[in-house]
Amino acid sequence: MVNKAAYILDKRSMKVMDSDMPKLKPGYVKVKVEYCGICGSDVHHYMNLEEAFYPDIYPFIVGHEFAGTVIETAEGVEDLKVGDKVCVEPGTFCGKCEWCKKGKYNLCKNMEFLSAPPTKGAMREYVTHPAELCFKLPENVSTMEGALVEPLAVGMNAVVRSGIQVGGAAVVLGTGCIGLVTIMSLKAAGITDITAVDLFDIRLNKALELGATRAINTSGKDAVKEILKYYDGIGPDFVFETAGNRHTAESAIHICKKGGTIMLVGNVVGETSLNLQKMCDKELTLLSNFRYRNVYPTCLEAISAGRIPVKEIISRTYPLDEAMEAFEACINEKESMVKAVLKIAED
């Protein structure tokens, strides 16, 4: 049986080729992948490679936002059967380390996360995965929507961990994919005062469509002053940094209200200068979010109930054979490309 996959060969070089058919292990299922989203981390690998840390992994398969159909089950699988539509939580944890035993399995020291080197990803026709990490889709949830549960889980986990409650006001810095799923998660949690902040109107308009109360374009402006205008100069209760930018991370301390909470959701690469004295003076709580844990069922329920229209974040879909074109579009059309999705097989 052929197992076509999109391989990264070199910097900004990708080719669809045959890959090995994965073997089933006890407790695993084989999934025919139907849709796979392109994450910012996938684009990072495509643009930069990781040869310094993993010199022998290329050609390499990325992708971890996916859903499809179970086509085979192994010994020990009871809750899934052939033909079930599933979305997949891509991180396989050991269950034995300190963090797993504390219930924080997303921090597992032995984590094998699809598309995180050296573990190959899901931009291929067939994948095997532990059945306990494959979640059956409700009848009214498509595999296209199922592929978006993974990024939605990031925003949902950040909202849950933040502790925000009905009546709280939130500013979301950045309206890319993670910013939008954070906004949708806030709205689904009953938050009615949500300010979206970005540099591009096209993204801000999408944020308004998906639940933001207001949108602020801070291009060429003092972002802190522009945002505080809407909060009587004292700021919101919560600030969610989703842009993964050191400048927005630094500004969060100046935006947040005294006694408020900052949640770091985006991947802020490199050193960041935080005004810790200002943070202490305002008695702020600084939280961070790494992926997610135990929120896939919540995400699926919210999508099924119509509270989160997750497929609205999709900018464009591409067939697997056009994977390189999709990655190039993610690089060259940053202003308008929120989420590109590969259609791996027929759903």
Side-chain angles (χ1 to χ4, degrees), residues 10 48 133 135 157 164 174 187 262:
D10 205 337
N48 302 289
L133 296 173
F135 297 83
N157 198 69
I164 192 170
K187 182 181 178 183
I262 297 168

Side-chain angles (χ1 to χ4, degrees), residues 263-278:
M263 170 57 79
L264 300 178
V265 191
N267 293 321
V268 183
V269 179
E271 294 186 5
T272 302
S273 177
L274 298 180
N275 189 330
L276 297 182
Q277 184 60 60
K278 185 77 169 179

Side-chain angles (χ1 to χ4, degrees), residues 4-150:
K4 290 168 58 179
Y7 279 94
I8 295 175
L9 305 177
D10 205 337
K11 291 184 179 180
R12 297 183 74 159
S13 177
M14 179 175 278
K15 185 177 181 180
V16 175
M17 304 184 293
D18 289 347
S19 65
D20 294 336
M21 183 61 66
K23 295 181 180 179
L24 275 178
K25 296 188 287 188
Y28 277 56
V29 296
K30 183 179 290 183
V31 177
K32 180 180 181 182
V33 181
E34 292 169 11
Y35 289 93
C36 185
I38 299 177
C39 175
S41 63
D42 299 326
V43 177
H44 171 80
H45 284 298
Y46 175 73
M47 292 181 66
N48 302 289
L49 304 187
E50 294 290 346
E51 291 179 319
F53 302 102
Y54 304 98
D56 301 320
I57 67 166
Y58 295 93
F60 186 65
I61 305 168
V62 292
H64 54 266
E65 306 173 356
F66 70 107
T69 302
V70 174
I71 63 166
E72 190 176 351
T73 63
E75 176 187 354
V77 176
E78 298 179 355
D79 296 332
L80 292 173
K81 64 183 184 303
V82 171
D84 283 345
K85 304 285 187 180
V86 295
C87 63
V88 179
E89 187 169 338
T92 302
F93 51 91
C94 71
K96 299 177 181 179
C97 70
E98 173 186 347
W99 294 274
C100 284
K101 288 180 178 179
K102 289 179 178 178
K104 299 180 179 182
Y105 68 84
N106 58 316
L107 303 179
C108 173
K109 66 177 293 186
N110 304 305
M111 177 71 74
E112 294 182 2
F113 194 89
L114 294 176
S115 80
T119 306
K120 292 179 180 178
M123 288 184 185
R124 44 182 160 158
E125 293 180 304
Y126 300 97
V127 172
T128 57
H129 207 65
E132 66 177 338
L133 296 173
C134 298
F135 297 83
K136 187 175 179 180
L137 300 180
E139 290 294 328
N140 65 338
V141 176
S142 68
T143 50
M144 178 185 284
E145 292 169 307
L148 300 174
V149 170
E150 199 279 340

Side-chain angles (χ1 to χ4, degrees), residues 175-177 179-181 183-184 187 196 198 200-215 309-316 335-339:
T175 55
C177 174
L180 293 178
V181 295
I183 288 169
M184 289 192 289
K187 182 181 178 183
D198 207 306
F200 304 114
D201 285 338
I202 190 168
R203 292 192 174 202
L204 289 168
N205 289 335
K206 176 61 71 172
L208 290 171
E209 290 176 22
L210 297 178
T213 312
R214 67 188 65 82
V310 69
K311 65 182 178 182
E312 296 301 319
I313 70 172
I314 296 176
S315 305
R316 209 174 305 160
E335 180 177 341
S336 58
M337 183 67 80
V338 173
K339 175 61 65 178

Side-chain angles (χ1 to χ4, degrees), residues 321-332:
D321 289 339
E322 295 179 13
M324 185 167 170
E325 289 88 334
F327 273 74
E328 285 295 316
C330 290
I331 295 169
N332 298 320

